[in-house]
Amino acid sequence: MELISQHGCHGGVQRFYRHDSTAIGLPMRFSVYLPPQAQAGARVPVLFYLAGLTCTEETFMIKAGAQRFAAEYGLMLVAPDTSPRGAGLPGEADAWDFGVGAGFYVDATEAPWHKHWRMESYVADELFELVTTALPGDAARVGICGHSMGGHGALVLAQRHPQRFRSVSAFAPIAAPSRCPWGEKAFAGYLGSDRAAWAQYDASELMARQPGAPFPAGILVDQGLDDQFLQSQLHPETFAAACQAVGQPLTLRRHSGYDHGYYFITSFIADHIRHHAAQL
């Protein structure tokens, strides 16, 4: 694990790392904010943040302003890159919504993507292990959050790995990817034509099949009503209906005047930090 850079920030330290990933089979980058509470050698709760299409490990740490609140509550922040890079696959960078910068947090099963596009294993297994062993993260107190494609990832990985992620929230998630153009394109490319395989990575489908509430302390979702992708891509009402059907507490907040970008996220990131801190 190579430390690329570090910067003092709100009494803690912002770091950027590169390492050789066994899950991906390529070098990967991720960012970590260590709050002041971690400087004394204590293990601290961790919040994973999964970014959206075209983003990198830098986007959230630069734009969201989350470090101030993470320092207050003693949370470590971890943000991985959004896909493998440098695989050299034909067409990997031809589209902004598939391939590079668009890993969708799934383990691909279709060639040629199946060799490197293994973002679920990378986040939930390899990176989880790294930040709770080589870094002072407390493996028993880990939450997950994300935006757009990353909101989809957070809602899905939390349900697929409830033994690892104790709390979950999302900003403008792609909440029913099997029913929207972004999800259909990604799932067909990474997972093939069998829609039964798609359901395993669809937050609404997963929730509808839960035997009860997997997160009894509640899930927080924020959605901007001026989001240009709301009607065509996001479908939060589908996820809300699935939560209601299984008794999963959900706080779905709709905000007039807010779009899909980071001005929206920075406006409400403090609430998400508090949501996770209360559960972790």
Side-chain angles (χ1 to χ4, degrees), residues 50 104-105 144-146 148-159 173-174:
L50 307 183
F104 269 82
Y105 305 102
I144 191 165
C145 175
S148 192
M149 176 186 73
H152 139 76
L155 296 176
V156 166
L157 295 189
Q159 292 186 73
I174 305 172

Side-chain angles (χ1 to χ4, degrees), residues 54-123:
T54 75
C55 293
T56 72
E57 75 285 352
E58 293 183 321
T59 310
F60 174 71
M61 298 300 188
I62 292 172
K63 292 185 174 183
Q67 293 93 337
R68 175 180 303 174
F69 307 105
E72 179 181 351
Y73 289 97
L75 284 177
M76 178 195 297
L77 303 176
V78 177
D81 201 352
T82 52
S83 79
R85 298 180 191 269
L89 299 182
E92 68 178 16
D94 287 355
W96 66 274
D97 57 355
F98 185 82
V100 172
F104 269 82
Y105 305 102
V106 306
D107 279 358
T109 56
E110 294 294 296
W113 310 101
H114 66 292
K115 184 176 180 180
H116 299 297
W117 262 250
R118 297 176 48 78
M119 289 300 292
E120 177 185 21
S121 290
Y122 176 67
V123 173

Side-chain angles (χ1 to χ4, degrees), residues 6 13 55 60 62 78 88 149 172 205 214 231 241 248 258 262 278:
Q6 65 177 4
V13 60
C55 293
F60 174 71
I62 292 172
V78 177
M149 176 186 73
E205 295 282 351
Q231 298 303 322
Q248 169 60 54
Y258 289 90
Y262 269 81

Side-chain angles (χ1 to χ4, degrees), residues 113-181:
W113 310 101
H114 66 292
K115 184 176 180 180
H116 299 297
W117 262 250
R118 297 176 48 78
M119 289 300 292
E120 177 185 21
S121 290
Y122 176 67
V123 173
D125 294 329
E126 185 174 9
L127 191 55
F128 184 101
E129 182 73 14
L130 197 60
V131 301
T132 57
T133 55
L135 294 169
D138 184 345
R141 295 185 291 162
V142 181
I144 191 165
C145 175
H147 168 233
S148 192
M149 176 186 73
H152 139 76
L155 296 176
V156 166
L157 295 189
Q159 292 186 73
R160 287 174 60 85
H161 302 274
Q163 75 282 6
R164 298 214 146 175
F165 300 110
R166 285 180 46 187
S167 59
V168 58
S169 71
F171 293 91
I174 305 172
S178 299
R179 309 184 191 189
C180 76

